[in-house]
């Protein structure tokens, strides 16, 4: 695909996914990308993140990149304002859906070999630390508390999301059995259960409304299936070269480089080139 040159409104926002997009496979942001993001914002652009990660996991990136614009967290379930240090929007999985997962967890775990993580009030819980969960903890650099299933049932309200870790085939089979829930694969081995009707696209629409922007002023970039709705909504939807094939199908264009080749620089270059000398990107 090629860049759609019919979009003449200057791009003011870059909304970037984190894993597989901003970060390389070593979970690092190169010094050059850091510098280019700083320069982009100094010139008047707006940069923010849209991720499935929790605030605990994203906080180091907020500090590293000096982010000041609202961020989309938990795949759209929360919007966080780093300047006010508060959530502007919060959505929760319905108690009936949470209870259904809890009631079926042991029968689910054995045949499908799935590990469960529960996100509640900025804490993460599980019933046991398996090698698979430990690998996820190491990647995300977060703390996870071990709790009994009965203990989980006591926090069934205000759960932001639930996450199942397992083999891709098992997750696909299980996802087909719970079509009544709002689920998305955020990585090949992660299935997330989100509040009903919530995704990165619904959160991006809220962010656009909050800032008085227009979709055509927004470039959104991602690499996996949890980015589909966001990519569709943005006036400029971009898929990484390393993205899932289904995401590439809905994107306006695809980067030449991968996340390991600083593809985000390619995106910043494109946005800055879209500006004219008369353009002054100030939020209305």
């Amino acid at each position: 695909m090629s860049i759609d040159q019919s979009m003449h409104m200057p791009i003011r926002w870059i909304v970037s996914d984190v894993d597989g997009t901003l970060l390389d496979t070593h979970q690092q942001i190169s010094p050059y990308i850091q510098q280019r993001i700083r320069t982009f914002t100094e010139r008047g652009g707006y940069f923010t993140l849209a991720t499935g990660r929790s605030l605990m996991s994203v906080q180091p990136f907020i500090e590293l990149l000096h982010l000041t614009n609202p961020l989309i967290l938990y795949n759209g379930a929360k919007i966080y304002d780093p300047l006010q240090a508060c959530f502007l929007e919060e959505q929760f999985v319905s108690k009936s859906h949470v209870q259904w997962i809890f009631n079926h967890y042991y029968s689910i775990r054995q045949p499908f070999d799935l590990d469960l993580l529960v996100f509640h009030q900025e804490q993460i819980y599980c019933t046991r630390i398996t090698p698979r969960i430990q690998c996820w903890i190491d990647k995300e650099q977060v703390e996870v508390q071990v709790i009994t299933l009965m203990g989980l049932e006591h926090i069934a309200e205000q759960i932001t999301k639930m996450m199942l870790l397992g083999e891709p085939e098992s997750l696909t089979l299980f996802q087909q059995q719970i079509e009544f829930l709002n689920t998305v694969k955020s990585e090949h081995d992660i299935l997330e259960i989100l509040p009903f009707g919530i995704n990165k696209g619904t959160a991006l629409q809220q962010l656009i409304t909050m800032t008085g922007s227009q979709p055509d002023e927004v470039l959104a970039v991602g690499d996996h299936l949890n980015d589909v709705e966001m990519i569709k909504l943005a006036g400029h939807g971009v898929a990484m070269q390393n993205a899932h094939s289904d995401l590439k199908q809905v994107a306006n264009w695809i980067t030449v480089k991968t996340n390991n080749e600083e593809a985000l620089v390619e995106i910043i270059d494109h946005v800055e080139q879209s500006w004219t000398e008369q353009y002054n990107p100030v939020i209305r």
Side-chain angles (χ1 to χ4, degrees):
M1 294 184 186
S2 61
I3 298 171
D4 186 351
Q5 299 295 338
S6 67
M7 298 178 181
H8 299 296
M9 184 175 290
I11 302 168
R12 304 161 67 224
W13 285 85
I14 295 177
V15 181
S16 174
D17 173 48
V18 174
D19 294 280
T21 304
L22 175 66
L23 303 181
D24 61 24
T25 53
H26 300 292
Q27 305 299 301
Q28 300 296 315
I29 307 172
S30 76
Y32 185 49
I33 288 179
Q34 295 176 41
Q35 182 264 318
R36 288 301 305 273
I37 291 173
R38 285 195 298 270
T39 302
F40 174 74
T41 56
E42 287 168 0
R43 294 188 63 194
Y46 296 88
F47 184 90
T48 193
L49 304 177
T51 177
R53 290 183 179 232
S54 65
L55 177 59
M56 184 193 316
S57 180
V58 170
Q59 192 65 50
F61 307 132
I62 295 175
E63 297 171 2
L64 178 67
L65 300 174
H66 306 289
L67 301 181
T68 59
N69 297 303
L71 298 93
I72 296 169
L73 306 178
Y74 297 98
N75 280 318
K78 293 189 180 187
I79 298 178
Y80 178 75
D81 184 343
L83 289 180
Q84 301 182 64
C86 69
F87 291 106
L88 303 178
E89 293 287 340
E90 294 183 88
Q91 303 293 330
F92 304 103
V93 182
S94 72
K95 188 174 181 179
S96 61
H97 290 170
V98 170
Q99 199 62 56
W100 190 93
I101 292 295
F102 286 167
N103 290 343
H104 292 78
Y105 177 56
Y106 281 109
S107 61
I108 290 167
R109 189 175 68 187
Q110 297 304 324
F112 290 97
D113 187 27
L114 303 178
D115 295 324
L116 176 67
L117 291 165
V118 175
F119 296 73
H120 175 263
Q121 295 183 353
E122 297 313 299
Q123 300 294 325
I124 308 172
Y125 299 94
C126 69
T127 57
R128 57 177 185 165
I129 301 288
T130 65
R132 192 156 44 203
I133 288 179
Q134 187 61 57
C135 287
W136 180 85
I137 291 171
D138 294 340
K139 178 176 78 74
E140 299 274 327
Q141 292 295 294
V142 295
E143 296 180 2
V144 174
Q145 299 183 37
V146 177
I147 191 173
T148 65
L149 188 60
M150 183 176 296
L152 286 177
E153 292 175 351
H154 288 307
I155 59 169
E157 294 185 2
Q158 295 195 333
I159 285 179
T160 306
K161 73 174 184 178
M162 307 173 81
M163 179 185 289
L164 291 162
L165 310 180
E167 293 299 317
E169 298 79 9
S170 295
L171 291 174
T172 298
L173 289 172
F174 179 65
Q175 188 176 27
Q176 293 170 354
Q177 295 192 13
I178 56 170
E179 292 181 345
F180 63 95
L181 299 180
N182 180 21
T183 64
V184 66
K185 276 192 173 181
S186 54
E187 296 183 26
H188 73 283
D189 56 354
I190 296 177
L191 178 68
E192 303 195 21
I193 301 167
L194 302 173
F196 187 77
I198 295 299
N199 53 60
K200 286 188 182 182
T202 60
L204 181 57
Q205 181 59 67
Q206 288 181 303
L207 184 59
I208 288 171
T209 301
M210 286 176 182
T211 58
S213 303
Q214 298 296 324
D216 281 354
E217 297 174 293
V218 177
L219 182 150
V221 55
D223 76 304
H224 217 278
L225 299 177
N226 57 326
D227 299 310
V228 167
E229 291 84 1
M230 176 177 74
I231 296 302
K232 286 182 176 180
L233 179 71
H236 306 257
V238 183
M240 299 288 284
Q241 181 60 233
N242 51 285
H244 192 287
S245 58
D246 289 351
L247 186 69
K248 291 181 177 180
Q249 290 297 315
V250 302
N252 297 121
W253 56 283
I254 301 166
T255 63
V256 174
K257 297 180 178 180
T258 70
N259 63 316
N260 286 327
E261 300 169 310
E262 299 181 326
L264 202 61
V265 172
E266 183 182 336
I267 291 164
I268 295 173
D269 283 343
H270 168 64
V271 173
E272 291 183 341
Q273 289 167 10
S274 77
W275 296 347
T276 65
E277 291 182 1
Q278 292 77 24
Y279 172 51
N280 182 22
V282 177
I283 286 187
R284 295 182 295 273

